[in-house]
C-alpha cells in the first residue's frame, strides 16, 4: 500500500527549481499535488490491487481472495475483477491517444477540402510517401492527396475499413503472430469500445481473453491512432529535424508576456505560436510594457512544438502547477490530457489566465475558446491578446524565476536519425553489430508524485548510456533528461566509450529526443524498420522500453502495445493488477511465451538499468553478436 510517509523533499527535486517554488507556494498558502497526495494516503488497498469493482449497482464490491468475500455479487473473482479493471484502464489510454490522432486526421481532411486555410501541408514529401504506402494516387493536386490520405485513415477509425493502414510496416512474422492470437487490431475506435462492452457485467468472463483484448486495444493505439497522430502532425507541421533549444523554468522571461501551451495536440498551439509573431499583436505587447511575447511548452504539446519549432520547454507534468508560482505566466493555453484541474485554482491566485481550447476539455473557471480548424488563427490572436492584457496585472512582488535555462538538442524524428546515417538503416545496424551501440531503450512517460521527480528517468538513462545503450526519450521524461545535460552532445561524456565516440563523430547526444507520447509510434516504427532490414521479428532486437515514473492510462496503453509489439518494457511502479497472481505472472513472465516480451516492474532505477542491460546482452547473443 502506498503511504506518503516521508517529507515532501524526498519526492520532489528539492535542491533545484522545484524545491524553491514549493517553498514559495507554501508561503503563499497554496496546495500542490504532493500535498493532495499526502492527504489521500494511505490509499485504498483494494483499488491499488485492482480488487474493487463499481461497474454495476449490485456493487460496489471489494474482493478479498481466500475469505468468504472472494467474489463480487455477480460472482466475479479476483482474476476477473483485475482483468476487467485493467482492460478499461488500457482502453482509456488508447482512446485518449487515438482521439488526439483523429483531430490531426480531421485537420488534414479540412486542409484537403480547402476549409482550413490557416493550416498548410509543410511536408508534401511525407504526405506523398504515406499515400504511396497506402496504395493511393500521388498524382494531381496535393490537396486531393491530403484528402485521400485523411479519408484512408478515417476508415481505420471505422468498422468497415480495409484494415489498419500502418500494419504493412510490421515484420511478417509479427503480423502472423498477432493473427494467430487474434490480437491484430481491426479498428482504432472499435477495440476500446469493444473493451467497454466486454467488461460490462456478464460479457467476457475469461481473464486471459480480456488480457489479450487489452493487447489488441493497445495495438489499435500504437499502430493506429498514435501513429496517425505522429505522421499527420509531421505532414501538416513539418517532420522534425535536429536543432537546439532550452529547457526548465528559466525559459520564462521576466520582461516578456509568457504564454505556456499545455496538453498534447499541436493543432491549436501551432496557431498560438503564429499569432505571437503577428506584428500587430507584438505592438500591443510593447504598448503594455513587455519586451515581446514568449511561448514555452509544458508536457506533450510542449514536446510537439519543441520537436518542430525549437520552442523551449518550461517543464513536465510535476512542474505544471509550479510554473504559475513563478508569477510571470500570463496564460496557460490548454487542449487536453494530463492537465491538472488544480491549475485553474492556482491560476486564480495570480494574474494568470487559464484558457481552454478543446470542446473535449472543459475546466470550470477557465476562459473557454471554441477552436476549430476554420477559426483557429483568429481565435489564437484573441488568446494572445488576452495574455497581453493579463501582463498589465502582473504583481512584481510575486515574481520568482529560480533558475537559468539549460540548452538541449531535439528533433530526432526517424527521418532525421536515418537521414544523419545516410538515409538507410544499414549504418545503425552496423553500429549495433559492432557493439558501438549495444542496443536501444526508449524511456518514455510521465512524472508521478509518488516518486522523486525526474530522478528515476535520469538515473536509468545514465546507467544505460554508460553501457553503450542508446536512449530515446519522449514525453515528460524529456525535460528530466534535458536538465541533467543528457540531451546535448557534451552529455556523451557520461556514456560508455564506444557510444561516446559515435556521439562525437555524429555530433549527437547519447539520449535522443524523439517527441511527445504519441511519438512513441516513431520508436516502434523504427524497430520495425530495423527488424525488417535484419529479417527478424521485433522481439529479437536488442531493444527495450521503460516508463520509470509513469502515472497515466495512456502510459499503460503504451507499455502494453510495446510489449505486444515484442519490446520488453520496464515500469517503475506496478499497474493495479497485483490482486491477481495469475495476471501478474502473465504480465511479468507468461507474456514472453505469447508475444516474446513482457513487463519488468522495478522501483530502483539502478537495478532496472542492470536488468535491461542483461536483457540487451541476451538479445544480442540471440542474434549471434557479442554480448
Ligand atoms: Fe502526460 Fe504526455 Fe505522461 Fe507527460 S508523459 S504526464 S501521459 S504529458 Ni505522455
Ligand atoms: Fe460487484 Fe460484479 Fe457489479 Fe462489479 S460487476 S460491482 S463485481 S456485482
Amino acid at each position: 500500500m502506498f503511504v506518503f510517509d516521508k517529507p515532501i523533499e524526498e519526492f520532489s527535486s528539492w535542491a533545484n527549481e522545484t524545491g524553491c517554488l514549493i517553498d514559495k507556494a507554501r508561503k503563499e498558502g497554496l496546495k500542490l499535488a504532493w500535498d493532495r497526495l499526502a492527504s489521500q494516503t494511505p490509499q485504498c488497498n483494494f483499488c491499488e490491487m485492482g480488487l474493487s469493482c463499481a461497474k454495476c449497482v449490485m456493487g460496489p464490491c471489494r474482493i478479498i481472495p481466500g475469505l468468504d468475500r472472494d467474489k463480487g455479487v455477480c460472482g466475479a473473482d479476483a482474476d476477473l475483477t483485475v482483468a476487467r479493471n485493467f482492460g478499461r484502464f488500457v482502453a482509456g489510454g488508447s482512446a485518449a491517444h487515438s482521439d488526439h490522432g483523429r483531430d490531426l486526421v480531421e485537420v488534414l481532411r479540412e486542409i484537403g477540402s480547402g476549409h482550413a486555410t490557416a493550416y498548410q501541408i509543410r511536408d508534401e514529401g511525407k504526405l506523398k510517401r504515406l499515400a504511396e504506402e497506402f496504395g493511393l494516387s500521388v498524382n494531381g493536386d496535393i490537396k486531393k492527396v491530403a484528402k485521400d490520405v485523411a479519408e484512408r485513415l478515417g476508415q481505420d477509425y471505422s468498422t468497415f475499413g480495409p484494415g489498419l493502414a500502418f500494419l504493412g510496416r510490421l515484420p511478417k512474422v509479427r503480423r502472423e503472430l498477432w493473427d494467430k492470437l487474434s490480437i491484430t487490431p481491426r479498428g482504432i475506435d472499435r477495440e476500446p469500445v469493444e473493451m467497454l462492452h466486454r467488461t460490462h457485467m456478464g460479457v467476457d468472463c475469461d481473464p486471459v481473453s480480456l488480457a489479450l483484448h487489452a493487447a489488441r486495444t493497445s495495438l489499435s493505439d500504437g499502430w493506429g491512432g498514435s501513429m496517425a497522430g505522429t505522421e499527420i502532425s509531421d505532414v501538416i507541421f513539418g517532420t522534425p529535424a535536429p536543432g537546439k533549444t532550452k529547457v526548465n523554468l528559466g525559459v520564462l522571461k521576466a520582461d516578456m508576456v509568457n504564454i505556456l501551451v499545455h496538453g498534447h495536440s499541436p493543432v491549436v498551439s501551432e496557431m498560438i505560436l503564429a499569432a505571437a509573431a503577428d506584428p500587430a499583436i507584438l505592438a500591443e505587447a510593447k504598448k503594455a510594457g513587455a519586451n515581446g511575447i514568449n511561448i514555452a511548452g509544458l508536457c506533450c504539446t510542449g514536446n510537439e512544438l519543441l520537436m518542430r519549432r525549437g520552442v523551449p520547454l518550461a517543464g513536465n507534468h510535476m512542474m505544471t502547477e509550479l510554473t504559475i508560482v513563478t508569477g510571470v505566466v500570463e496564460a496557460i493555453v490548454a487542449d487536453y490530457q494530463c492537465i491538472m484541474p488544480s491549475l485553474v485554482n492556482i491560476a486564480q491566485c495570480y494574474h494568470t489566465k487559464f484558457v481552454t481550447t478543446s470542446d473535449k476539455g472543459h475546466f470550470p473557471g477557465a476562459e473557454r475558446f471554441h477552436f476549430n480548424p476554420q477559426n483557429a488563427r483568429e481565435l489564437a490572436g484573441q488568446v494572445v491578446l488576452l495574455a497581453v492584457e493579463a501582463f498589465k496585472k502582473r504583481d512584481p512582488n510575486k515574481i520568482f524565476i529560480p533558475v537559468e535555462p539549460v540548452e538541449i538538442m531535439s528533433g530526432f524524428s526517424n527521418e532525421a536519425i536515418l537521414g544523419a546515417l545516410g538515409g538507410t538503416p544499414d549504418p545503425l545496424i552496423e553500429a549495433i553489430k559492432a557493439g558501438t551501440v549495444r542496443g536501444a531503450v526508449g524511456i518514455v512517460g510521465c512524472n508521478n508524485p509518488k516518486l522523486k521527480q525526474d530522478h528515476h528517468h535520469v538515473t536509468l538513462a545514465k546507467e544505460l548510456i554508460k553501457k553503450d545503450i542508446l536512449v530515446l526519450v519522449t514525453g515528460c521524461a524529456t525535460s528530466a533528461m534535458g536538465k541533467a545535460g543528457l540531451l546535448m552532445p557534451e552529455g556523451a561524456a557520461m556514456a560508455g566509450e564506444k557510444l561516446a565516440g559515435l556521439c562525437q563523430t555524429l555530433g549527437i547526444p547519447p539520449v535522443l529526443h524523439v517527441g511527445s507520447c504519441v511519438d512513441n509510434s516513431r520508436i516502434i516504427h523504427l524497430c520495425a524498420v530495423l527488424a525488417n532490414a535484419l529479417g527478424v521479428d521485433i522481439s529479437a532486437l536488442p531493444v527495450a522500453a521503460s516508463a520509470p515514473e509513469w502515472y497515466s492510462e495512456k502510459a499503460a496503453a503504451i507499455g502494453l502495445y510495446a510489449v505486444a509489439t515484442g519490446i520488453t518494457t520496464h515500469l517503475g511502479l506496478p499497474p493495479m493488477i497485483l490482486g491477481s497472481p495469475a495476471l501478474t505472472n502473465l504480465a511479468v513472465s507468461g507474456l514472453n511465451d505469447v508475444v516474446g516480451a513482457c513487463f519488468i516492474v522495478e522501483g530502483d532505477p539502478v537495478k532496472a538499468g542492470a536488468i535491461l542491460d542483461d536483457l540487451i546482452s541476451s538479445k544480442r547473443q540471440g542474434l549471434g553478436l557479442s554480448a
Side-chain angles (χ1 to χ4, degrees), residues 264 299-300 317 338 445-447 475-476 517 551-552 554:
H264 280 76
C299 291
C300 280
H317 184 52
C338 301
C446 328
N447 297 136
C476 284
C517 291
Y551 94 89
S552 81
K554 292 178 292 164

Side-chain angles (χ1 to χ4, degrees), residues 3-35:
V3 184
F4 200 104
D5 56 355
K6 299 192 190 94
I8 193 170
E9 292 88 327
E10 306 246 335
F11 294 90
S12 62
S13 311
W14 189 257
N16 58 28
E17 51 182 347
T18 315
C20 315
L21 282 167
I22 292 173
D23 276 342
K24 182 170 185 278
R26 287 270 180 286
K27 285 183 197 130
E28 293 172 1
L30 299 174
K31 289 249 188 289
L32 302 167
W34 292 278
D35 303 300

Side-chain angles (χ1 to χ4, degrees), residues 467-480:
K467 291 170 179 155
D468 298 317
I469 297 167
L470 181 70
V471 170
L472 307 177
V473 65
T474 61
C476 284
T478 305
S479 61

Side-chain angles (χ1 to χ4, degrees), residues 206-220:
D206 176 353
V208 174
S209 162
L210 283 170
L212 287 171
H213 187 67
R216 175 153 58 180
T217 302
S218 71
L219 291 171
S220 76

Side-chain angles (χ1 to χ4, degrees), residues 419-611:
L421 296 168
T424 74
D426 298 346
L428 189 52
I429 289 171
E430 288 312 314
I432 293 170
K433 283 185 177 165
T436 318
V437 174
R438 285 182 52 246
V441 173
I443 300 186
V444 311
C446 328
N447 297 136
N448 187 320
K450 292 178 179 178
L451 298 173
K452 181 165 175 163
Q453 186 195 358
D454 298 346
H455 170 75
H456 298 250
H457 291 305
V458 171
T459 308
L460 178 61
K462 286 184 179 170
E463 289 299 310
L464 294 171
I465 63 170
K466 230 163 50 184
K467 291 170 179 155
D468 298 317
I469 297 167
L470 181 70
V471 170
L472 307 177
V473 65
T474 61
C476 284
T478 305
S479 61
M481 304 295 180
K483 290 185 210 174
L486 291 162
L487 297 184
M488 286 297 284
E490 294 74 24
M494 291 178 256
E497 212 177 296
K498 289 180 176 169
L499 177 61
L502 181 79
C503 292
Q504 271 147 18
T505 310
L506 296 175
I508 58 167
V511 177
L512 300 180
H513 178 223
V514 306
S516 65
C517 291
V518 291
D519 291 342
N520 288 313
S521 66
R522 295 189 202 276
I523 300 180
I524 52 174
H525 183 198
L526 185 60
C527 287
V529 168
L530 293 177
N532 285 331
L534 280 165
V536 298
D537 194 358
I538 292 171
S539 55
L541 297 174
V543 299
S546 170
E549 300 181 28
W550 73 287
Y551 94 89
S552 81
E553 290 174 332
K554 292 178 292 164
I558 294 167
L560 189 55
Y561 76 61
V563 167
T565 295
I567 303 168
T568 286
T569 298
H570 159 251
L571 301 172
L573 286 162
M576 292 176 277
I577 63 168
L578 300 181
S580 165
L583 280 172
T584 304
N585 288 334
L586 182 68
V588 299
S589 74
L591 278 173
N592 261 324
D593 297 330
V594 186
V595 291
C598 68
F599 286 100
I600 296 162
V601 180
E602 173 55 64
D604 178 340
V606 174
K607 285 188 192 154
I611 295 169

